[in-house]
Amino acid sequence: MKKRILPILIYTVFVAVISALITTAWFQNFVLNQTNDSSQNSLVSLSAKEVDASPIGAGEDIIEIFSYGCHFCERNEKNVDALEKRMPAGTKLVRLHYSLDTQNGLARFAPVFATLQVMGIEETYRQSAYDAVIKKKIDLGDPEKRTAWLEDNKINIDEYNKVSQSEKVKNLLDYMTRVTKYYNVNATPAYIVAKKWVALQDTDFPSFSDKLISMLETQQAPEE
């Protein structure tokens, strides 16, 4: 009986060891590799040639691409304000609205942003725009609903409509579209640093903010 039990015991231990090794290998090769891929995708670097051809103008050192329809953007407003205050002297943070197909999705509200920006009142009404789109489900891309929102916020409707058709608004919309497209931004919020990197938040914002500032100051990507 003992002679029979020993081979069975050895076989059982052997199978357990092999199973453990297979499980470990699977975890390292599939789970960890997938995590690493996600981390890498959170920071994209452009070549020197691509940076030279960038549509971004001078004096826009960190650009946040956001949308009024993005609840992560709305939640990060205070964090982005804190980031702006930490920017090195002589550098600037700029907010641009996600803009590709302005008839659909997160880009639908880009004309509202552009018009308010040219009017010089965008920052004042940004939170109201967030609340309208995210919390109240108001489609600010719809003229009738947008007009009602403008009335509620006591924004001059005639002035808004006039400015919305101006060359300044058209140029800003065109610029936002070119930046969004050139940097292949497909998620918000996204941060373009020194025209060279596109970064998506992959840690808590204080740490992420440190990363953005470091890249701007050193012109080097953070070490993994």
Side-chain angles (χ1 to χ4, degrees):
M1 179 65 69
K2 291 183 179 180
K3 291 183 179 180
R4 291 182 178 179
I5 293 176
L6 184 59
I8 294 174
L9 182 60
I10 294 173
Y11 177 76
T12 302
V13 172
F14 175 77
V15 170
V17 171
I18 294 299
S19 298
L21 291 174
I22 291 173
T23 301
T24 301
W26 177 85
F27 182 81
Q28 289 178 334
N29 286 310
F30 290 91
V31 178
L32 292 184
N33 281 344
Q34 287 178 359
T35 302
N36 289 337
D37 287 344
S38 176
S39 176
Q40 290 173 358
N41 290 337
S42 68
L43 183 63
V44 177
S45 178
L46 277 68
S47 68
K49 184 177 181 180
E50 290 171 323
V51 171
D52 288 341
S54 169
I56 294 176
E60 298 186 354
D61 302 283
I62 295 180
I63 294 176
E64 181 199 20
I65 303 292
F66 81 107
S67 169
Y68 289 144
C70 166
H71 70 280
F72 292 109
C73 303
E74 192 271 339
R75 287 168 52 187
N76 265 343
E77 274 296 315
K78 292 183 179 179
N79 290 325
V80 176
D81 287 342
L83 168 63
E84 186 172 15
K85 292 176 182 177
R86 292 185 55 202
M87 296 275 289
T91 62
K92 184 179 180 181
L93 184 146
V94 174
R95 286 177 169 91
L96 297 179
H97 199 287
Y98 178 84
S99 179
L100 279 179
D101 180 2
T102 57
Q103 298 302 311
N104 298 290
L106 295 176
R108 183 165 174 77
F109 318 110
V112 177
F113 168 85
T115 303
L116 297 177
Q117 183 75 5
V118 171
M119 291 175 71
I121 59 175
E122 192 280 326
E123 185 175 354
T124 302
Y125 295 98
R126 186 181 303 147
Q127 187 60 54
S128 178
Y130 276 131
D131 291 342
V133 175
I134 298 172
K135 297 178 182 178
K136 299 177 183 177
K137 309 301 181 184
I138 298 173
D139 179 9
L140 293 183
D142 179 277
E144 184 175 340
K145 294 178 181 178
R146 182 176 60 246
T147 296
W149 178 79
L150 292 171
E151 289 178 341
D152 289 342
N153 284 273
K154 296 179 172 54
I155 298 173
N156 188 294
I157 297 172
D158 290 337
E159 182 184 359
Y160 178 92
N161 290 334
K162 180 180 179 180
V163 173
S164 70
Q165 300 302 312
S166 68
E167 283 300 313
K168 287 185 177 180
V169 168
K170 292 177 183 178
N171 290 339
L172 179 54
L173 278 169
D174 176 67
Y175 178 60
M176 294 192 302
T177 300
R178 286 187 291 118
V179 171
T180 302
K181 186 175 182 180
Y182 189 83
Y183 285 88
N184 196 30
V185 176
N186 51 29
T188 57
Y191 300 85
I192 302 172
V193 182
K195 300 196 291 187
K196 184 176 181 179
W197 295 282
V198 181
L200 301 179
Q201 185 178 344
D202 56 356
T203 60
D204 61 276
F205 205 92
S207 297
F208 181 64
S209 179
D210 290 341
K211 179 192 295 186
L212 298 182
I213 295 293
S214 175
M215 287 192 293
L216 183 61
E217 290 180 330
T218 68
Q219 296 295 302
Q220 297 290 327
E223 295 183 1
E224 297 296 335

